[in-house]
Amino acid sequence: MRFDLTDLSLFRHVVDAGSITHGAERANLALAAASARIRNMEEALGASLLTRSRQGVALTQAGRTLLQHARVILEQAERLREDLGAYAGGLAGQVRILSNTNALTEFLPEALSEFLAAHPNVSIDLEERLSDEIVGLIAEGVGDVGIVAGTVNAGGLTTYPFRTDRFVAVVAEAHPLANRKSISFAEVLDYDIVGLDRSSAISRFLASKAGNLGRPLRLRVQLRSFDAVCRLAEKNVAVGIVPHTTARAALKSMAIKVVELSDPWAVRELTICVRDVEALPPFAQQLVEHMRAYATSEVALKDQRGSTTQ
């Protein structure tokens, strides 16, 4: 039984993606080649690693065992590459960050740009996920650093406060909701929604909240950015749901109205989470410290702005 790193990496991608097709895409392999590799692994082992269905793939017990070892081996191989990279003139290290949509679009670009400018030999692998998925993946060692909603149970992970934001509805000035100060998500569901594509973490999150209410999320238009969501809302196409930071910036150039969502989950306390900060490579520890300092400086700046307006 011989599995190389490509086999193990492909298997991890297939499990994370939930299908061989999407796993092959993540591994940059043709579907036929990926399917053949998985089949050869199963034949070499003499047992099935995956159960296949029209909905995707699921792990067998043998597959779970292989996945645990694969992640350890791949993490060690990545650490080896990073440690030797400095001697070879390559990257000194790579940090894998898993983030929910809100942090990824609103806060991380600025925080990461400052860090990367100061650390030219470090690269970032950034992936969007749902908060509850992130907690599990960080606990398993799939990612180094996670940014999640504070409402998610982080279990035994180490957490640090990051930023605070909230979801709001944005509508055209002529929309029936334009004069409302606040509204429940259940009321918003009476209208068509313009949002990010259905595969995005935020759209899946909102769809789950709608499902809890026994209602569909009437996603009429799917876009790739919150700014584009605001622009279609401005044209009275549908109601947009975006972070308040996005809406506040959009108000400067768009004829929109902002309506607060009254649901408790609309307030988003964003949290940094890691499995064991002391076990992270030095450059990953430096990134965590940078993000904590960034969060503290932003809070101080916000407080300063507040005091000058009183």
Side-chain angles (χ1 to χ4, degrees), residues 1 13 43 68 108 154 189 192 212 228 245 258-259 298-299 303:
M1 180 178 62
H13 282 309
E43 290 176 355
Q68 292 174 355
L108 281 179
L189 293 175
D192 289 337
N212 292 340
T245 48
V258 178
V259 186
E298 288 297 316
V299 170
D303 290 342

Side-chain angles (χ1 to χ4, degrees), residues 231-298:
R231 294 209 173 273
L232 259 70
E234 180 188 25
K235 300 303 181 182
N236 212 5
V237 173
V239 178
I241 297 179
V242 301
H244 183 255
T245 48
T246 298
R248 185 173 58 205
L251 279 170
K252 299 176 182 178
S253 60
M254 301 182 202
I256 58 174
K257 293 289 185 177
V258 178
V259 186
E260 288 192 356
L261 292 177
S262 59
D263 304 77
W265 54 258
V267 178
R268 308 284 278 179
E269 298 287 347
L270 300 175
T271 300
I272 302 167
C273 63
V274 296
R275 184 169 57 173
D276 180 0
V277 69
E278 297 298 329
L280 292 174
F283 49 83
Q285 294 184 33
Q286 292 169 7
L287 175 59
V288 172
E289 289 304 312
H290 171 81
M291 293 172 66
R292 293 179 65 188
Y294 169 79
T296 302
S297 65
E298 288 297 316

Side-chain angles (χ1 to χ4, degrees), residues 134-154:
I134 293 170
V135 168
L137 292 172
I138 294 296
E140 293 176 7
V142 175
D144 299 307
V145 182
I147 309 292
V148 301
T151 53
V152 174
N153 183 1

Side-chain angles (χ1 to χ4, degrees), residues 4-222:
D4 59 27
L5 291 179
T6 301
D7 289 334
L8 298 179
S9 180
L10 168 64
F11 187 71
R12 182 185 63 183
H13 282 309
V14 167
V15 174
D16 289 346
S19 75
I20 295 177
T21 299
H22 292 117
E25 292 174 356
R26 294 187 181 187
N28 295 316
L29 291 173
L31 177 58
S35 297
R37 279 185 174 270
I38 296 294
R39 186 168 58 252
N40 291 339
M41 292 172 69
E42 291 178 321
E43 290 176 355
L45 178 63
S48 296
L49 297 170
L50 302 167
T51 56
R52 293 131 169 109
S53 69
R54 297 179 64 180
Q55 288 72 40
V57 297
L59 286 169
T60 63
Q61 187 57 51
R64 292 189 186 93
T65 301
L66 175 61
L67 180 63
Q68 292 174 355
H69 289 283
R71 284 179 168 161
V72 171
I73 292 170
L74 291 169
E75 182 177 358
Q76 291 176 338
E78 179 62 21
R79 295 290 179 252
L80 175 62
R81 185 191 70 81
E82 292 165 358
D83 291 344
L84 295 178
Y87 299 103
L91 294 173
Q94 182 181 66
V95 186
R96 185 175 185 190
I97 301 177
L98 305 177
S99 172
N100 68 3
T101 308
N102 198 3
L104 187 149
T105 57
E106 297 303 309
F107 304 119
L108 281 179
E110 182 178 357
L112 294 181
S113 65
E114 294 176 358
F115 178 81
L116 291 171
H119 299 80
N121 292 327
V122 176
S123 68
I124 303 292
D125 180 4
L126 181 58
E127 184 176 350
E128 179 190 8
R129 291 274 190 159
L130 288 173
S131 291
D132 53 356
E133 293 177 343
I134 293 170
V135 168
L137 292 172
I138 294 296
E140 293 176 7
V142 175
D144 299 307
V145 182
I147 309 292
V148 301
T151 53
V152 174
N153 183 1
L157 299 181
T158 301
T159 61
Y160 308 100
F162 184 51
R163 293 297 300 272
T164 301
D165 202 359
R166 67 176 302 136
F167 288 125
V168 297
V170 290
V171 298
E173 292 182 336
H175 195 277
L177 300 178
N179 295 323
R180 296 282 297 271
K181 294 293 184 182
S182 66
I183 188 173
S184 69
F185 183 57
E187 293 177 273
V188 173
L189 293 175
D190 291 334
Y191 299 89
D192 289 337
I193 304 293
V194 55
L196 303 188
D197 66 82
R198 293 185 188 276
S199 64
S200 68
I202 181 59
S203 289
R204 288 185 286 153
F205 173 79
L206 293 176
S208 71
K209 293 299 181 184
N212 292 340
L213 296 170
R215 304 281 300 280
L217 185 70
R218 290 159 48 183
L219 196 57
R220 186 177 182 190
V221 183
Q222 301 175 53

